[in-house]
Amino acid sequence: MRHLYPVMKHIPENIRHIIRKFFDGSVTPSEKALLDEWYHSYNSVREVEVISEENEVEIDSRLKNRLQQFLLDQNPERHAPRLTKRIIWSSAAAVFLAIVSFLYFTNFRSGAKHEEVPGIQETAGGEILPGGDKAILTLADGTTMVLDSAFQGVIDLQGNAAVEKIGDGLIRYTHNNYLLKNEIVYNTIATPRGGQYQLELSDRTKVWLNAASSIRFPTEFRDGIREVEITGEAYFEVFHDPGKRFTVKVNGLNADVFGTSFNIKAYDNEQSITTTLLSGSLRVTNNNTVSQLLVPGDKLAYMEHGEITIEKNSDVEEAVAWKNGKFIFNNTPLRTIMKQTERWYDVDVVFEEDKTVHFTGELSRSVGIEELLRKLELTNEVRFKIEKKTITVLR
C-alpha cells in the first residue's frame, strides 16, 4: 500500500528538541500535544496509515526499518550497518519521517501510558455489532420472508424454480422441469444496513449483496434474456452462456456481459455509480446510449450529470474487499470510510466539522465498531464519540 510522507524544509529548534526527547523516552504529554499541533499545521490533506492487525513488535520493527531505509536512500554514501543520531538529525526529510513514525510509536511502544491517547467517548446504549447474514426475500405475490431465520432446504416454489436456502447467508434458485407454469415471476432480495447475503440465480450466476442493497430478478431466465436490477452494491460472477448476454440495470445504467466477474456500487448517498471489472469483458451503457467497453482492472465512474470516467489498473482488491470480509483503505477519505461504517454497523455518523484526512490500511469487517474507531484514533488525526447508535466525528 502507498504511504505519503511530505518533506518539510524547516523544522523549528523547539520541535527538534521534542523529537529528541521522544527517542530518549522522556517526552511529556504536553510536549506531544505541541508536536501534534505543529505537524497538523503543515498539511490540511494527509494520508495516514491505519494500524493493521499486525502485532505490536512487528509494527515497531517495520516502521523503524522504513525510517532506516529512508535515511540510507537520502545518504547513499553512508551505508554503515548502524545509523547514528548525528545522521538521523542531518536530514530535515528524515526528521519529518520520524514525526510520522512518532504518531504510531507513541501508541505501541513498550510502556506507553494509556492517558496519552484519549479514548473513544461512549455513553450507554448497548453494544454496536458488525453486520452479518441478514436479508428479506419478497416473493411474487408480495409475501416476505426473513432469510436469516428461515430453515434450510426448499422454502418455496416460485414460477418454475425451487427456492432453497443452502446455509447461512446463501439462497439458490433451481429450475424444476416438473413445474410447467407459463408466467415469468420476479422475486426481490434486500439487505438492511448491517446485512449481507449471497444468491445463486437459476442460470448459476452468483451474486453477493452488500449492506443496504437489493436485487430484483426473474426466478428463471427465458428466450436467451438474462436481466436483473439492483440498488446499493453487488458483486457478480456471471455464468458463461454463449449467446445469452447478462444485463445488470441500475439507475439508468446497463452493464452487459457474457461471462464476467465485476463489482457495481450505486448507493443513493454516493456521488457516482462505480463499476470495477475483475475478469472477462463488460460494456456499460447509459440512457443516452453512450457506452464504454471495460477490460479487467478498469474502474468506471458515472457521475450524476452524465460524465463517465475510467481509471485504468485500479485497485480491484479494494473494490471487492467487503465481499471478502475486509475493510481496505487506499488513500481513502474519512467521509467515505464513515459511509461504509454507517452501512455495515447500522449507525448514523455526524461530523462536527469537515475532515479532509485520508487513510490507508486494512482491517477485518468482523471487528467491533469500537475497534475500528480505535484504529483510526491511534493515528492522532481524528476523535470519535459514541452515543447510542450515533457516531460523532469530533473537532
Side-chain angles (χ1 to χ4, degrees):
M1 294 184 180
R2 296 173 296 173
H3 308 284
L4 182 63
Y5 298 114
V7 175
M8 315 310 295
K9 295 182 179 179
H10 174 70
I11 298 178
E13 183 57 37
N14 66 320
I15 298 299
R16 292 172 180 263
H17 176 69
I18 294 174
I19 296 172
R20 292 187 181 98
K21 292 187 66 175
F22 161 69
F23 278 104
D24 291 339
S26 60
V27 67
T28 66
S30 61
E31 289 171 330
K32 173 188 177 299
L34 179 61
L35 184 59
D36 288 345
E37 181 181 359
W38 171 82
Y39 164 68
H40 291 163
S41 69
Y42 271 94
N43 216 12
S44 60
V45 180
R46 300 175 297 280
E47 179 185 355
V48 180
E49 182 183 7
V50 178
I51 301 300
S52 62
E53 294 173 315
E54 304 170 61
N55 66 50
E56 298 176 10
V57 175
E58 290 173 338
I59 292 169
D60 185 76
S61 175
R62 175 168 56 88
L63 290 170
K64 287 179 178 176
N65 289 340
R66 183 187 300 159
L67 174 58
Q68 291 185 355
Q69 185 58 52
F70 181 88
L71 293 172
L72 290 174
D73 292 341
Q74 296 297 309
N75 301 274
E77 74 279 3
R78 301 183 183 185
H79 282 273
R82 181 179 179 182
L83 295 173
T84 66
K85 288 186 178 181
R86 182 172 61 86
I87 296 175
I88 289 179
W89 305 119
S90 67
S91 167
V95 175
F96 180 74
L97 188 61
I99 294 287
V100 178
S101 299
F102 167 84
L103 295 176
Y104 312 123
F105 289 150
T106 308
N107 302 295
F108 283 95
R109 60 191 296 230
S110 176
K113 296 181 180 180
H114 177 72
E115 58 266 23
E116 291 183 5
V117 183
I120 299 168
Q121 300 179 34
E122 297 184 49
T123 61
E127 184 181 4
I128 300 176
L129 300 175
D133 297 323
K134 306 171 188 176
I136 301 292
L137 168 64
T138 302
L139 304 177
D141 62 0
T143 301
T144 60
M145 302 178 66
V146 180
L147 291 178
D148 34 306
S149 60
F151 59 84
Q152 292 190 23
V154 176
I155 57 178
D156 210 313
L157 299 176
Q158 289 287 290
N160 291 322
V163 185
E164 182 181 8
K165 181 177 178 180
I166 304 301
D168 292 338
L170 174 60
I171 191 168
R172 174 185 296 162
Y173 281 71
T174 306
H175 181 74
N176 192 321
N177 293 322
Y178 296 100
L179 299 175
L180 301 175
K181 296 183 179 181
N182 292 323
E183 63 175 333
I184 299 177
V185 299
Y186 287 81
N187 284 184
T188 300
I189 293 179
T191 57
R193 293 204 310 181
Q196 63 182 11
Y197 223 80
Q198 295 182 45
L199 164 68
E200 185 173 315
L201 298 169
S202 61
D203 69 336
R204 290 185 280 176
T205 289
K206 297 178 181 179
V207 185
W208 285 255
L209 283 181
N210 202 353
S213 304
S214 70
I215 180 169
R216 182 177 181 269
F217 55 95
T219 61
E220 65 170 327
F221 297 112
R222 294 185 188 175
D223 303 323
I225 299 174
R226 299 189 291 173
E227 290 185 354
V228 301
E229 301 175 29
I230 72 160
T231 65
E233 185 169 18
Y235 171 79
F236 288 83
E237 290 183 356
V238 177
F239 181 76
H240 182 67
D241 191 346
K244 295 182 180 180
R245 181 179 59 192
F246 192 99
T247 301
V248 178
K249 296 178 175 290
V250 53
N251 291 355
L253 280 187
N254 291 349
D256 298 319
V257 301
F258 288 95
T260 295
S261 60
F262 66 100
N263 191 82
I264 186 165
K265 181 168 67 173
Y267 287 110
D268 290 339
N269 63 349
E270 300 283 358
Q271 295 181 342
S272 64
I273 300 173
T274 59
T275 302
T276 306
L277 181 62
L278 280 76
S279 66
S281 63
L282 183 152
R283 182 174 293 279
V284 177
T285 308
N286 67 5
N287 288 332
N288 298 322
T289 68
V290 176
S291 65
Q292 294 285 346
L293 181 65
L294 305 187
V295 299
D298 284 355
K299 178 180 179 180
L300 179 145
Y302 176 74
M303 310 301 291
E304 293 180 355
H305 49 75
E307 179 186 358
I308 292 179
T309 62
I310 296 180
E311 176 186 348
K312 296 290 186 180
N313 301 314
S314 66
D315 188 345
V316 296
E317 184 181 4
E318 180 185 5
V320 298
W322 65 270
K323 174 243 178 190
N324 296 324
K326 298 178 182 179
F327 290 111
I328 293 182
F329 310 135
N330 192 357
N331 196 23
T332 304
L334 179 61
R335 284 192 176 272
T336 299
I337 294 173
M338 289 297 100
K339 287 178 182 178
Q340 295 181 36
T341 303
E342 284 184 318
R343 292 191 287 261
W344 185 237
Y345 292 95
D346 188 17
V347 295
D348 295 313
V349 176
V350 177
F351 282 77
E352 285 192 346
E353 66 179 11
D354 191 34
K355 288 282 189 179
T356 54
V357 64
H358 294 57
F359 292 88
T360 292
E362 181 176 315
L363 290 171
S364 169
R365 287 222 304 178
S366 64
V367 301
I369 194 168
E370 292 84 358
E371 180 68 5
L372 170 63
L373 300 183
R374 188 181 73 85
K375 298 291 189 183
L376 295 173
E377 282 200 347
L378 286 177
T379 65
N380 282 355
E381 295 290 340
V382 66
R383 289 285 180 265
F384 300 98
K385 179 177 69 175
I386 301 177
E387 186 174 9
K388 294 184 179 179
K389 298 199 74 174
T390 298
I391 310 300
T392 302
V393 183
L394 302 174
R395 290 189 178 90

